[in-house]
């Protein structure tokens, strides 16, 4: 049985209910309902979707019609949960582009922002649907819930520092590089070190650029997570859940072992 609750939201995602909820955000309203009904789940319909009741049967209409919010969900996991993320991917080549496809195929991101130094690659990333928008690195970090560094391995330590300089205590930064010892050493004393998760999915080909991106690239491939004791538990949980959803078994190593 499903109980329907009137929950009006205007195009700006503000509650239009005049009975004391004007101006509240959608996540605040959902959390209030969950607190009042701790044993119930909330089904959040997406834009352009609806519930249709006909002949005693309830049907969900629309593509990706809803996501579920369990009791005791935190605002952090509403905003940065795997089904509600705005993701910035720096480097839309083989690894970054394939990761973008994986996020889309598993509905793990509502919007993907891309960063590319090459104008040609930036245009290809948009044309291939790897990114919704191309932005500068600084613009993307300011907007994103999750920052993914998928540039060449030798560029990642500096980019990691730049990202950590700009993130707050709710954002997550991760990398996809193959070299971890220098990276983990460089960021080890950073004030926001806990927001970083060092990851290396064990997959690749000899090709490069956005056109080399492949669907299903990471499924069944292990992902190495390094120095996780220095990552905040919530940040690590976000990355672990992403790779678990992609079908990537996690292997935990020290940076030196990797």
């Amino acid at each position: 049985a499903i109980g329907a609750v009137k929950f009006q939201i205007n195009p700006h995602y503000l509650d239009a209910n005049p009975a004391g909820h004007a101006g509240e955000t959608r996540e605040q309203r959902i959390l209030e309902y969950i607190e009042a009904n701790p044993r119930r789940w909330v089904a959040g319909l997406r834009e352009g979707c609806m519930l249709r009741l006909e002949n005693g049967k309830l049907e969900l209409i629309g593509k990706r019609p809803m996501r579920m919010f369990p009791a005791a969900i935190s605002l952090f996991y509403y905003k940065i949960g795997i089904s509600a993320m705005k993701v910035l991917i720096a480097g839309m080549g083989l690894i970054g582009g394939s990761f973008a496809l994986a996020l889309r195929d598993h509905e793990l991101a509502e919007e993907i922002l891309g960063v590319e130094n090459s104008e040609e690659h930036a245009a290809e990333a948009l044309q291939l649907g790897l990114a919704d928008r191309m932005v500068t690195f600084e613009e993307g970090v300011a907007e994103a819930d999750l920052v993914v560094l998928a540039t060449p391995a030798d560029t990642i330590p500096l980019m990691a520092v730049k990202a950590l300089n700009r993130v707050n205590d709710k954002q997550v930064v991760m990398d996809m590089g193959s070299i971890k010892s220098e990276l983990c050493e460089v960021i080890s004393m950073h004030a926001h070190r806990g927001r970083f998760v060092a990851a290396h999915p064990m997959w690749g080909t000899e090709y490069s650029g956005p056109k080399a991106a492949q669907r299903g690239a990471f499924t069944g491939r292990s992902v190495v997570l390094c120095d996780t004791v220095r990552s905040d538990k919530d940040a690590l949980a976000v990355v672990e859940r992403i790779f678990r959803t992609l079908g990537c078994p996690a292997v935990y190593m020290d940076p030196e072992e990797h």
Side-chain angles (χ1 to χ4, degrees):
I2 297 179
V5 177
K6 291 182 179 180
F7 180 35
Q8 302 296 327
I9 304 174
N10 69 20
H12 298 289
Y13 299 105
L14 296 178
D15 189 42
N17 180 359
H21 298 292
E24 288 187 349
T25 61
R26 177 171 56 176
E27 55 263 33
Q28 287 173 323
R29 196 69 186 91
I30 289 173
L31 288 174
E32 286 180 8
Y33 178 78
I34 290 173
E35 289 173 0
N37 302 270
R39 297 191 178 186
R40 292 190 180 183
W41 287 62
V42 174
L45 295 180
R46 297 177 184 269
E47 183 179 355
C49 301
M50 62 179 289
L51 285 170
R52 182 173 66 187
L53 182 61
E54 187 174 358
N55 298 325
K57 294 184 178 180
L58 191 66
E59 184 179 4
L60 286 165
I61 307 297
K63 183 180 180 182
R64 300 191 307 159
M66 71 175 185
R67 60 177 179 266
M68 301 299 291
F69 301 93
I73 193 170
S74 69
L75 181 59
F76 170 76
Y77 278 110
Y78 174 84
K79 294 181 68 177
I80 207 167
I82 60 173
S83 63
M85 290 187 297
K86 180 180 289 189
V87 181
L88 171 68
I89 301 180
M92 301 297 294
L94 172 69
I95 301 299
S98 298
F99 194 62
L101 290 174
L103 293 178
R104 288 204 189 284
D105 290 347
H106 290 82
E107 300 183 1
L108 301 182
E110 288 191 344
E111 185 177 18
I112 297 177
L113 311 179
V115 174
E116 261 297 341
N117 289 331
S118 165
E119 292 185 6
E120 179 183 359
H121 284 179
E124 289 177 354
L126 290 172
Q127 183 180 14
L128 295 169
L130 305 180
D132 298 300
R133 289 186 285 135
M134 301 304 293
V135 296
T136 67
F137 186 65
E138 291 75 15
E139 290 170 342
V141 172
E143 290 189 49
D145 299 309
L146 173 67
V147 177
V148 180
L149 306 180
T151 54
D154 62 343
T155 68
I156 290 177
L158 179 57
M159 293 193 71
V161 172
K162 289 182 177 179
L164 292 176
N165 285 345
R166 292 173 169 82
V167 298
N168 58 38
D169 59 359
K170 299 298 182 185
Q171 294 171 282
V172 179
V173 183
M174 61 174 284
D175 80 301
M176 307 280 277
S178 59
I179 301 174
K180 291 291 183 277
S181 182
E182 179 186 355
L183 166 64
C184 292
E185 183 178 356
V186 167
I187 65 172
S188 63
M189 301 303 291
H190 198 286
H192 289 149
R193 169 62 184 89
R195 306 315 302 164
F196 192 92
V197 180
H200 178 208
M202 304 299 288
W203 176 83
T205 73
E206 67 273 29
Y207 302 108
S208 62
K211 291 182 178 178
Q214 297 183 22
R215 280 194 151 83
F218 305 108
T219 303
R221 304 283 183 167
S222 296
V223 59
V224 177
L225 301 178
C226 290
D227 212 13
T228 55
V229 294
R230 293 178 176 266
S231 299
D232 292 345
K233 289 182 179 179
D234 59 316
L236 178 60
V238 168
V239 175
E240 287 176 326
R241 291 200 310 170
I242 289 172
F243 283 112
R244 186 162 58 246
T245 302
L246 299 187
C248 301
V251 178
Y252 299 86
M253 291 187 180
D254 292 331
E256 293 75 17
E257 291 181 273
H258 180 269

